Coordinates of all heavy atoms in Angstrom, one line a residue:
D831 N 9.0 -6.0 1.9 CA 10.3 -6.6 1.5 C 11.2 -5.4 1.0 O 10.8 -4.7 0.1 CB 10.1 -7.7 0.5 CG 11.3 -8.3 0.0 OD1 12.0 -9.0 0.8 OD2 11.6 -8.1 -1.2
R832 N 12.4 -5.4 1.5 CA 13.3 -4.3 1.1 C 13.7 -4.4 -0.4 O 13.9 -3.3 -1.0 CB 14.6 -4.3 1.9 CG 14.3 -4.0 3.4 CD 15.6 -3.8 4.1 NE 15.4 -3.7 5.5 CZ 15.0 -2.6 6.2 NH1 14.7 -1.5 5.5 NH2 14.8 -2.6 7.5
S833 N 13.8 -5.5 -1.0 CA 14.1 -5.6 -2.4 C 13.0 -5.0 -3.3 O 13.3 -4.4 -4.3 CB 14.4 -7.0 -2.8 OG 13.3 -7.9 -2.7
V834 N 11.8 -5.2 -2.9 CA 10.6 -4.6 -3.6 C 10.7 -3.0 -3.5 O 10.6 -2.3 -4.5 CB 9.3 -5.0 -3.1 CG1 8.1 -4.2 -3.7 CG2 9.1 -6.5 -3.3
G835 N 11.0 -2.5 -2.3 CA 11.2 -1.1 -2.1 C 12.3 -0.5 -3.0 O 12.2 0.5 -3.6
R836 N 13.5 -1.2 -3.1 CA 14.6 -0.8 -3.9 C 14.2 -0.8 -5.4 O 14.5 0.1 -6.1 CB 15.8 -1.7 -3.7 CG 16.5 -1.4 -2.4 CD 17.9 -2.0 -2.4 NE 17.8 -3.5 -2.3 CZ 17.7 -4.2 -1.3 NH1 17.7 -3.6 -0.1 NH2 17.6 -5.5 -1.3
W837 N 13.4 -1.8 -5.8 CA 13.0 -1.9 -7.2 C 12.0 -0.7 -7.5 O 12.1 0.0 -8.5 CB 12.3 -3.2 -7.5 CG 11.7 -3.2 -8.9 CD1 12.4 -3.5 -10.0 CD2 10.4 -3.0 -9.2 NE1 11.5 -3.4 -11.1 CE2 10.3 -3.2 -10.6 CE3 9.2 -2.7 -8.5 CZ2 9.1 -3.0 -11.3 CZ3 8.0 -2.6 -9.2 CH2 8.0 -2.7 -10.6
L838 N 11.1 -0.4 -6.6 CA 10.2 0.7 -6.8 C 10.9 2.0 -6.9 O 10.6 2.9 -7.7 CB 9.1 0.7 -5.7 CG 8.1 -0.4 -5.7 CD1 7.2 -0.3 -4.4 CD2 7.2 -0.3 -6.9
L839 N 11.9 2.2 -6.0 CA 12.7 3.4 -6.1 C 13.4 3.6 -7.4 O 13.6 4.7 -7.9 CB 13.6 3.5 -4.9 CG 13.0 3.7 -3.5 CD1 14.0 3.7 -2.4 CD2 12.2 5.0 -3.5
S840 N 13.9 2.4 -7.9 CA 14.6 2.5 -9.2 C 13.7 3.0 -10.3 O 14.2 3.6 -11.3 CB 15.2 1.1 -9.6 OG 14.2 0.3 -10.0
L841 N 12.4 2.9 -10.2 CA 11.4 3.4 -11.2 C 11.6 4.9 -11.3 O 11.4 5.5 -12.3 CB 10.0 3.0 -10.8 CG 9.6 1.6 -11.0 CD1 8.1 1.4 -10.5 CD2 9.7 1.2 -12.4
T842 N 11.8 5.6 -10.1 CA 11.9 7.0 -10.1 C 13.1 7.5 -10.9 O 13.1 8.6 -11.4 CB 11.9 7.6 -8.7 OG1 13.1 7.2 -8.0 CG2 10.6 7.2 -7.9
Q843 N 14.1 6.7 -11.0 CA 15.3 7.1 -11.7 C 15.2 6.8 -13.2 O 15.9 7.4 -14.0 CB 16.5 6.4 -11.2 CG 16.7 6.7 -9.7 CD 17.8 5.8 -9.0 OE1 18.3 4.9 -9.6 NE2 18.1 6.1 -7.8
T844 N 14.3 5.9 -13.6 CA 14.2 5.5 -15.0 C 13.0 6.0 -15.8 O 12.9 6.0 -17.0 CB 14.3 4.0 -15.2 OG1 13.2 3.4 -14.5 CG2 15.6 3.4 -14.6
C845 N 12.0 6.5 -15.0 CA 10.7 6.9 -15.7 C 10.5 8.4 -15.4 O 10.7 8.9 -14.3 CB 9.6 6.1 -15.1 SG 9.7 4.4 -15.3
M846 N 9.9 9.1 -16.4 CA 9.5 10.5 -16.2 C 8.2 10.6 -15.4 O 8.1 11.5 -14.6 CB 9.3 11.1 -17.6 CG 10.6 11.2 -18.4 SD 11.7 12.4 -17.8 CE 10.9 13.9 -18.3
S847 N 7.3 9.6 -15.7 CA 6.0 9.6 -15.0 C 5.7 8.2 -14.6 O 6.0 7.3 -15.4 CB 5.0 10.2 -15.9 OG 3.7 10.2 -15.2
V848 N 5.1 8.0 -13.5 CA 4.8 6.7 -13.0 C 3.3 6.5 -12.7 O 2.7 7.4 -12.2 CB 5.6 6.5 -11.6 CG1 5.2 5.1 -11.0 CG2 7.1 6.6 -11.8
F849 N 2.8 5.4 -13.2 CA 1.5 5.0 -12.8 C 1.6 3.6 -12.2 O 2.0 2.7 -12.9 CB 0.5 4.9 -14.0 CG -0.9 4.4 -13.7 CD1 -1.8 5.4 -13.1 CD2 -1.2 3.1 -13.8 CE1 -3.0 5.0 -12.8 CE2 -2.5 2.7 -13.4 CZ -3.4 3.6 -12.9
L850 N 1.5 3.6 -10.9 CA 1.8 2.4 -10.1 C 0.6 2.0 -9.3 O 0.1 2.8 -8.5 CB 3.0 2.6 -9.3 CG 3.5 1.5 -8.3 CD1 4.0 0.3 -9.1 CD2 4.6 2.0 -7.4
S851 N 0.2 0.7 -9.4 CA -0.8 0.2 -8.5 C -0.2 -1.0 -7.8 O 0.3 -1.9 -8.5 CB -2.1 -0.3 -9.3 OG -2.7 0.8 -9.9
I852 N -0.4 -1.1 -6.5 CA 0.1 -2.2 -5.7 C -1.2 -2.9 -5.2 O -2.0 -2.2 -4.5 CB 1.0 -1.8 -4.6 CG1 2.3 -1.1 -5.1 CG2 1.3 -2.9 -3.7 CD1 3.2 -0.6 -4.1
V853 N -1.3 -4.2 -5.5 CA -2.5 -4.9 -5.0 C -2.0 -5.8 -3.9 O -1.0 -6.6 -4.1 CB -3.1 -5.8 -6.2 CG1 -4.3 -6.6 -5.6 CG2 -3.5 -4.9 -7.3
M854 N -2.6 -5.7 -2.8 CA -2.1 -6.4 -1.6 C -3.3 -7.2 -1.0 O -4.2 -6.7 -0.5 CB -1.6 -5.4 -0.5 CG -1.1 -6.1 0.7 SD -0.5 -4.9 1.9 CE -1.9 -3.9 2.3
P855 N -3.2 -8.6 -1.0 CA -4.2 -9.4 -0.4 C -4.0 -9.3 1.1 O -2.9 -9.2 1.6 CB -3.9 -10.8 -0.9 CG -2.5 -10.8 -1.3 CD -2.1 -9.4 -1.7
A856 N -5.1 -9.4 1.8 CA -5.1 -9.4 3.3 C -6.0 -10.5 3.8 O -7.2 -10.5 3.5 CB -5.5 -8.0 3.8
Y857 N -5.5 -11.4 4.6 CA -6.3 -12.4 5.2 C -6.0 -12.5 6.6 O -4.8 -12.8 7.0 CB -6.0 -13.8 4.5 CG -6.8 -14.9 5.1 CD1 -8.1 -15.1 4.8 CD2 -6.2 -15.8 5.9 CE1 -8.9 -16.1 5.3 CE2 -6.9 -16.9 6.4 CZ -8.3 -17.0 6.2 OH -9.0 -18.0 6.7
N858 N -7.0 -12.2 7.5 CA -6.8 -12.3 8.9 C -5.6 -11.5 9.4 O -4.7 -12.0 10.1 CB -6.7 -13.8 9.4 CG -8.0 -14.5 9.2 OD1 -9.1 -13.9 9.1 ND2 -8.0 -15.8 9.2
E859 N -5.6 -10.2 9.0 CA -4.5 -9.4 9.4 C -4.9 -8.2 10.3 O -4.2 -7.2 10.3 CB -3.9 -8.8 8.1 CG -3.4 -9.8 7.1 CD -2.2 -10.6 7.5 OE1 -1.5 -10.2 8.5 OE2 -1.8 -11.5 6.8
E860 N -5.9 -8.4 11.1 CA -6.4 -7.4 11.9 C -5.4 -6.7 12.8 O -5.5 -5.5 13.1 CB -7.6 -7.8 12.8 CG -7.3 -8.8 13.9 CD -8.5 -9.3 14.7 OE1 -9.6 -8.9 14.3 OE2 -8.3 -10.0 15.6
E861 N -4.4 -7.4 13.2 CA -3.4 -6.9 14.2 C -2.4 -5.9 13.5 O -1.8 -5.1 14.1 CB -2.6 -8.0 14.8 CG -3.5 -8.8 15.8 CD -2.7 -9.9 16.5 OE1 -1.5 -9.9 16.4 OE2 -3.4 -10.8 17.1
I862 N -2.2 -6.1 12.1 CA -1.2 -5.3 11.5 C -1.7 -4.5 10.3 O -1.0 -3.6 9.8 CB 0.0 -6.2 11.0 CG1 -0.5 -7.2 9.9 CG2 0.6 -6.8 12.2 CD1 0.6 -7.9 9.2
I863 N -2.9 -4.7 9.8 CA -3.4 -4.1 8.5 C -3.3 -2.6 8.5 O -2.9 -2.0 7.5 CB -4.7 -4.7 8.1 CG1 -5.0 -4.3 6.6 CG2 -5.9 -4.1 9.0 CD1 -4.1 -5.0 5.7
E864 N -3.7 -2.0 9.6 CA -3.7 -0.5 9.6 C -2.3 0.1 9.5 O -2.1 1.0 8.8 CB -4.4 0.0 10.9 CG -4.7 1.5 10.9 CD -5.7 1.9 12.0 OE1 -6.2 1.1 12.7 OE2 -5.9 3.1 12.0
T865 N -1.4 -0.5 10.2 CA 0.0 -0.1 10.1 C 0.6 -0.4 8.8 O 1.3 0.5 8.2 CB 0.9 -0.8 11.2 OG1 0.3 -0.5 12.5 CG2 2.3 -0.4 11.1
V866 N 0.3 -1.5 8.2 CA 0.8 -1.8 6.8 C 0.3 -0.8 5.8 O 1.1 -0.3 5.0 CB 0.4 -3.3 6.4 CG1 0.8 -3.5 5.0 CG2 1.2 -4.3 7.3
V867 N -1.0 -0.5 5.8 CA -1.5 0.5 4.9 C -0.9 1.8 5.1 O -0.5 2.5 4.2 CB -3.1 0.5 5.1 CG1 -3.6 1.7 4.3 CG2 -3.7 -0.8 4.6
K868 N -0.8 2.2 6.4 CA -0.1 3.5 6.7 C 1.3 3.6 6.2 O 1.7 4.6 5.5 CB -0.2 3.8 8.2 CG 0.5 5.0 8.6 CD 0.4 5.2 10.2 CE 1.1 6.4 10.6 NZ 1.2 6.5 12.1
N869 N 2.1 2.5 6.4 CA 3.5 2.5 6.0 C 3.6 2.5 4.5 O 4.5 3.2 3.9 CB 4.2 1.3 6.6 CG 4.4 1.5 8.1 OD1 4.3 2.6 8.6 ND2 4.7 0.4 8.7
W870 N 2.8 1.7 3.8 CA 2.9 1.7 2.3 C 2.5 3.0 1.7 O 3.1 3.5 0.8 CB 2.0 0.6 1.7 CG 2.8 -0.7 1.5 CD1 2.7 -1.9 2.2 CD2 3.8 -0.9 0.5 NE1 3.5 -2.8 1.6 CE2 4.2 -2.2 0.6 CE3 4.3 -0.1 -0.5 CZ2 5.2 -2.8 -0.2 CZ3 5.3 -0.6 -1.4 CH2 5.7 -2.0 -1.2
T871 N 1.4 3.6 2.3 CA 1.0 4.9 1.8 C 2.0 6.0 2.0 O 2.3 6.8 1.1 CB -0.3 5.3 2.4 OG1 -1.3 4.3 2.2 CG2 -0.9 6.6 1.9
A872 N 2.7 6.0 3.1 CA 3.7 6.9 3.4 C 4.9 6.7 2.4 O 5.5 7.7 1.9 CB 4.2 6.8 4.9
F873 N 5.3 5.5 2.2 CA 6.4 5.2 1.3 C 6.0 5.7 -0.1 O 6.9 6.3 -0.8 CB 6.6 3.6 1.2 CG 7.6 3.2 0.2 CD1 8.9 3.2 0.5 CD2 7.2 2.9 -1.1 CE1 9.9 2.8 -0.4 CE2 8.2 2.5 -2.1 CZ 9.5 2.5 -1.7
L874 N 4.8 5.4 -0.6 CA 4.4 5.9 -1.9 C 4.4 7.4 -2.0 O 4.9 8.0 -3.0 CB 3.1 5.3 -2.3 CG 3.0 3.8 -2.5 CD1 1.6 3.3 -2.7 CD2 3.9 3.4 -3.7
D875 N 3.9 8.1 -1.0 CA 3.8 9.5 -1.0 C 5.3 10.1 -1.0 O 5.5 11.1 -1.7 CB 3.1 10.0 0.3 CG 1.6 9.9 0.1 OD1 1.1 9.6 -1.0 OD2 0.9 10.0 1.1
K876 N 6.1 9.5 -0.2 CA 7.5 10.0 -0.1 C 8.3 9.9 -1.4 O 9.0 10.8 -1.8 CB 8.2 9.3 1.1 CG 9.7 9.8 1.2 CD 10.4 9.0 2.4 CE 11.8 9.5 2.5 NZ 12.5 8.7 3.5
H877 N 8.1 8.8 -2.0 CA 9.0 8.5 -3.2 C 8.4 8.8 -4.5 O 9.1 8.9 -5.5 CB 9.5 7.1 -3.1 CG 10.4 6.8 -1.9 ND1 11.6 7.3 -1.7 CD2 10.1 6.2 -0.7 CE1 12.1 7.0 -0.6 NE2 11.2 6.3 0.1
F878 N 7.1 8.9 -4.6 CA 6.4 9.0 -5.9 C 5.5 10.3 -6.0 O 5.0 10.5 -7.1 CB 5.6 7.8 -6.2 CG 6.5 6.6 -6.4 CD1 6.7 5.7 -5.4 CD2 7.1 6.3 -7.6 CE1 7.5 4.6 -5.5 CE2 7.9 5.2 -7.8 CZ 8.1 4.3 -6.7
K879 N 5.4 11.0 -5.0 CA 4.5 12.2 -5.0 C 5.0 13.2 -6.1 O 6.2 13.5 -6.2 CB 4.5 12.9 -3.7 CG 3.4 13.9 -3.6 CD 3.2 14.4 -2.2 CE 1.9 15.1 -2.0 NZ 1.0 14.6 -1.1
G880 N 4.1 13.6 -7.0 CA 4.4 14.5 -8.0 C 5.0 13.9 -9.3 O 5.4 14.5 -10.2
Q881 N 5.2 12.5 -9.2 CA 5.8 11.8 -10.4 C 4.8 11.0 -11.1 O 5.2 10.2 -12.0 CB 7.0 11.0 -9.8 CG 8.1 11.8 -9.2 CD 9.2 10.9 -8.8 OE1 9.4 9.8 -9.5 NE2 9.9 11.3 -7.8
G882 N 3.6 11.1 -10.8 CA 2.5 10.3 -11.5 C 1.5 9.9 -10.5 O 1.2 10.7 -9.5
E883 N 0.9 8.8 -10.7 CA -0.3 8.4 -9.9 C 0.1 7.0 -9.3 O 0.6 6.1 -9.9 CB -1.5 8.2 -10.8 CG -2.7 7.9 -10.0 CD -4.0 7.9 -10.9 OE1 -4.0 8.5 -11.9 OE2 -5.0 7.3 -10.4
T884 N -0.2 6.9 -8.0 CA 0.0 5.6 -7.3 C -1.3 5.2 -6.6 O -2.1 6.1 -6.2 CB 1.1 5.7 -6.3 OG1 0.8 6.7 -5.3 CG2 2.5 6.0 -6.9
R885 N -1.5 3.9 -6.5 CA -2.6 3.4 -5.7 C -2.2 2.2 -4.9 O -1.4 1.3 -5.4 CB -3.7 2.9 -6.7 CG -4.4 4.1 -7.4 CD -5.6 3.6 -8.1 NE -6.2 4.7 -8.7 CZ -6.6 4.7 -10.0 NH1 -6.5 3.6 -10.7 NH2 -7.2 5.8 -10.5
L886 N -2.7 2.1 -3.7 CA -2.5 0.9 -2.9 C -3.9 0.3 -2.9 O -4.8 0.9 -2.3 CB -2.0 1.2 -1.5 CG -1.9 0.0 -0.6 CD1 -0.9 -1.0 -1.1 CD2 -1.5 0.5 0.8
I887 N -4.1 -0.9 -3.4 CA -5.3 -1.6 -3.4 C -5.2 -2.8 -2.5 O -4.4 -3.7 -2.7 CB -5.7 -2.1 -4.9 CG1 -5.7 -0.9 -5.8 CG2 -7.0 -2.9 -4.9 CD1 -5.7 -1.3 -7.3
V888 N -6.0 -2.8 -1.4 CA -6.0 -3.9 -0.4 C -7.2 -4.7 -0.6 O -8.4 -4.2 -0.6 CB -5.9 -3.3 1.0 CG1 -5.8 -4.5 2.0 CG2 -4.8 -2.4 1.2
V889 N -7.1 -6.0 -0.8 CA -8.2 -6.9 -1.1 C -8.3 -7.8 0.1 O -7.4 -8.5 0.5 CB -7.9 -7.8 -2.3 CG1 -9.0 -8.8 -2.6 CG2 -7.6 -6.9 -3.5
N890 N -9.5 -7.7 0.8 CA -9.8 -8.5 1.9 C -10.1 -9.9 1.4 O -11.1 -10.1 0.7 CB -11.0 -8.0 2.7 CG -11.3 -8.8 3.9 OD1 -10.5 -9.6 4.4 ND2 -12.5 -8.7 4.4
D891 N -9.3 -10.9 1.6 CA -9.4 -12.2 1.0 C -10.2 -13.2 1.9 O -9.7 -14.2 2.2 CB -7.9 -12.7 0.8 CG -7.9 -13.8 -0.2 OD1 -8.9 -14.1 -0.9 OD2 -6.9 -14.5 -0.3
G892 N -11.4 -12.8 2.3 CA -12.2 -13.7 3.1 C -11.8 -13.8 4.5 O -12.1 -14.8 5.1
S893 N -11.3 -12.7 5.1 CA -10.8 -12.8 6.5 C -12.0 -13.1 7.4 O -13.1 -12.7 7.2 CB -10.3 -11.4 6.9 OG -9.1 -11.1 6.2
R894 N -11.7 -13.9 8.5 CA -12.7 -14.2 9.5 C -12.5 -13.4 10.7 O -13.3 -13.6 11.7 CB -12.5 -15.7 9.8 CG -12.8 -16.6 8.6 CD -12.5 -18.1 8.9 NE -12.6 -18.9 7.7 CZ -13.5 -19.7 7.4 NH1 -14.5 -19.9 8.3 NH2 -13.5 -20.4 6.3
D895 N -11.6 -12.5 10.7 CA -11.4 -11.6 11.8 C -11.9 -10.2 11.5 O -12.8 -10.1 10.6 CB -9.9 -11.5 12.3 CG -9.0 -11.0 11.2 OD1 -9.5 -10.6 10.1 OD2 -7.8 -11.0 11.5
Q896 N -11.4 -9.2 12.0 CA -11.9 -7.8 11.8 C -11.1 -7.0 10.7 O -11.3 -5.8 10.6 CB -11.8 -7.0 13.1 CG -12.8 -7.5 14.2 CD -14.2 -7.4 13.7 OE1 -14.7 -6.3 13.3 NE2 -14.9 -8.5 13.7
T897 N -10.4 -7.7 9.9 CA -9.6 -7.1 8.8 C -10.5 -6.2 7.9 O -10.2 -5.1 7.7 CB -8.9 -8.1 8.0 OG1 -7.9 -8.8 8.8 CG2 -8.1 -7.5 6.8
G898 N -11.6 -6.8 7.5 CA -12.5 -6.0 6.6 C -13.1 -4.8 7.2 O -13.2 -3.7 6.6
A899 N -13.5 -4.9 8.5 CA -14.1 -3.8 9.2 C -13.0 -2.7 9.4 O -13.3 -1.5 9.3 CB -14.6 -4.3 10.6
I900 N -11.8 -3.1 9.7 CA -10.7 -2.1 9.8 C -10.5 -1.4 8.5 O -10.3 -0.2 8.5 CB -9.4 -2.8 10.4 CG1 -9.7 -3.3 11.8 CG2 -8.3 -1.8 10.3 CD1 -8.6 -4.2 12.3
L901 N -10.4 -2.1 7.4 CA -10.2 -1.5 6.1 C -11.4 -0.6 5.8 O -11.1 0.5 5.3 CB -10.1 -2.6 5.0 CG -8.8 -3.4 5.1 CD1 -8.9 -4.6 4.1 CD2 -7.6 -2.5 4.8
D902 N -12.6 -1.0 6.1 CA -13.7 -0.1 5.9 C -13.6 1.2 6.7 O -13.9 2.3 6.2 CB -15.0 -0.8 6.2 CG -15.4 -1.8 5.2 OD1 -14.9 -1.8 4.1 OD2 -16.3 -2.7 5.6
R903 N -13.1 1.1 7.9 CA -13.0 2.2 8.8 C -11.9 3.2 8.3 O -12.1 4.4 8.4 CB -12.7 1.8 10.2 CG -12.5 2.9 11.2 CD -12.3 2.5 12.6 NE -11.2 1.5 12.8 CZ -9.9 1.8 12.8 NH1 -9.5 3.0 12.7 NH2 -9.0 0.8 13.0
I904 N -10.8 2.7 7.8 CA -9.7 3.6 7.5 C -9.7 4.0 6.0 O -9.0 5.0 5.7 CB -8.3 2.9 7.8 CG1 -8.0 1.7 6.9 CG2 -8.2 2.6 9.3 CD1 -6.6 1.1 7.0
A905 N -10.5 3.4 5.2 CA -10.6 3.8 3.8 C -10.8 5.3 3.5 O -10.1 5.8 2.6 CB -11.7 2.9 3.1
P906 N -11.7 6.0 4.3 CA -11.9 7.4 4.0 C -10.6 8.2 4.2 O -10.5 9.3 3.6 CB -12.9 7.8 5.0 CG -13.7 6.6 5.3 CD -12.7 5.5 5.2
Q907 N -9.6 7.7 5.0 CA -8.4 8.5 5.2 C -7.5 8.4 3.9 O -6.5 9.2 3.8 CB -7.6 7.8 6.3 CG -8.3 7.9 7.7 CD -7.6 7.1 8.7 OE1 -6.3 7.2 8.8 NE2 -8.3 6.4 9.5
Y908 N -7.8 7.5 3.0 CA -6.9 7.2 1.9 C -7.8 7.2 0.6 O -8.1 6.2 0.0 CB -6.2 5.9 2.0 CG -5.4 5.7 3.3 CD1 -5.9 5.1 4.4 CD2 -4.2 6.3 3.4 CE1 -5.2 5.0 5.6 CE2 -3.4 6.2 4.5 CZ -4.0 5.6 5.6 OH -3.2 5.5 6.8
P909 N -8.2 8.4 0.2 CA -9.2 8.5 -0.9 C -8.7 7.9 -2.3 O -9.5 7.5 -3.1 CB -9.5 10.0 -1.0 CG -8.4 10.7 -0.4 CD -7.8 9.7 0.6
N910 N -7.4 7.8 -2.5 CA -6.9 7.3 -3.7 C -6.5 5.9 -3.6 O -6.0 5.2 -4.4 CB -5.8 8.1 -4.3 CG -6.3 9.5 -4.7 OD1 -7.5 9.6 -5.1 ND2 -5.5 10.5 -4.6

């Protein structure tokens, strides 16, 4: 959502240091989960790198498809 992105960017203008955790539930998202994680990670790196600590926490919410397996596979690419 663009309004969330604008709000997050406003943090960089008002805070000296940012500690930000985004918790994202995922349920049966095998078709898009890898792209969503990649895009959110790129957004956080672009706008908050060097300004504190950020985390994207993806919670597999009981998916019946391959969402969990995909998250397990891509997790090593995103150590934080």
Side-chain angles (χ1 to χ4, degrees):
D831 180 66
R832 293 191 191 279
S833 62
V834 171
R836 283 193 295 273
W837 176 80
L838 289 173
L839 289 176
S840 73
L841 288 176
T842 64
Q843 298 169 357
T844 59
C845 299
M846 296 287 288
S847 182
V848 175
F849 180 81
L850 176 66
S851 295
I852 297 174
V853 179
M854 180 177 65
Y857 179 74
N858 292 342
E859 302 291 350
E860 69 182 2
E861 293 180 13
I862 64 168
I863 195 64
E864 192 166 356
T865 300
V866 170
V867 169
K868 179 181 175 184
N869 289 345
W870 265 110
T871 302
F873 176 87
L874 294 171
D875 285 346
K876 178 179 179 183
H877 297 289
F878 295 97
K879 193 169 194 121
Q881 296 184 29
E883 185 175 339
T884 61
R885 289 191 180 132
L886 176 62
I887 302 165
V888 183
V889 179
N890 181 20
D891 198 14
S893 297
R894 296 174 190 253
D895 63 2
Q896 293 299 306
T897 299
I900 293 167
L901 290 171
D902 288 342
R903 178 178 52 79
I904 66 173
Q907 298 173 42
Y908 306 99
N910 292 332

